[in-house]
Amino acid sequence: KDSHPQESCPKTLAATQRLSLQERASDKSKEVGRASKPANAWLHNVTACTAVDPLVASTPINIDKLEEDLTDHPDRVFVATLVSGLREGFDTGLKVLPSESMECRNLRSAQAEAEFVTEALLSEVEKGYVIGPYATPPFPVYRVSPLGVAIGKYSGKKRLIIDLSAPHDNPRHKSLNELINKDDYSLSYVRIDDAIQAITRYGRGAGLCKCDIVDAFKLCPIKPELWHLYGVKWQGEYYFYCRLAFGSRSSPKLFDYL
């Protein structure tokens, strides 16, 4: 006999969360379908991914306007790389594409914050960062990396993360980050010392400004040919990232183009 009411049973709650996520994603899909054919309107209806399926990179950035503004930019290779990446999706730098499917288990932090993960995944789907959910993977070969939750040390803000360095120490299945050349995607961020030098240079009374871009990496699309490798699994269902993922070795460098 159950020791707790059905409505409070963990299995019942998990099933209810899954159903709610599916229903809301479906409702969002119908809503998108009624819009004026946005680039990713088809995403929620993908049932199989073959050469004829419309796997299309998308971004909220006005690429034509950006290209126009960069007409006089001296580095034409840089401009071409940025514009083609936004239009067609960025190559994430994988030296070799895995030829076998593999699924990794989620991190304990995801299990401990299950409600947050469910809502965060729904938000990612609604924003067009992720396709899914799928009862079975829509790709013949795919990779599922672990989901986790990072909590800001001072802000307490939660963030959904993907451990793209998993699996660890597995000679048969290298992690995606292992397959990306570290030197090709190294990046040095602006330091506090740089800010101090600027203050010293401009002197007393100078104004300072700090900008924070929400979901910064998610502005940049991944090449559709690589989506199958950026999968996650939650409550028995599959999702695949179609925008740069937090946790990828190459994401900071690729975003820096923008």
Side-chain angles (χ1 to χ4, degrees), residues 26 52 96 123 204 210 222:
S26 176
V52 298
V96 179
S123 177
R204 187 182 298 275
K210 175 181 178 295
I222 297 173

Side-chain angles (χ1 to χ4, degrees), residues 72-88:
D72 297 324
H73 195 287
D75 190 341
R76 303 316 299 168
V77 174
F78 159 76
V79 174
T81 302
L82 172 60
V83 171
S84 65
L86 291 173
R87 283 208 171 104
E88 302 165 16

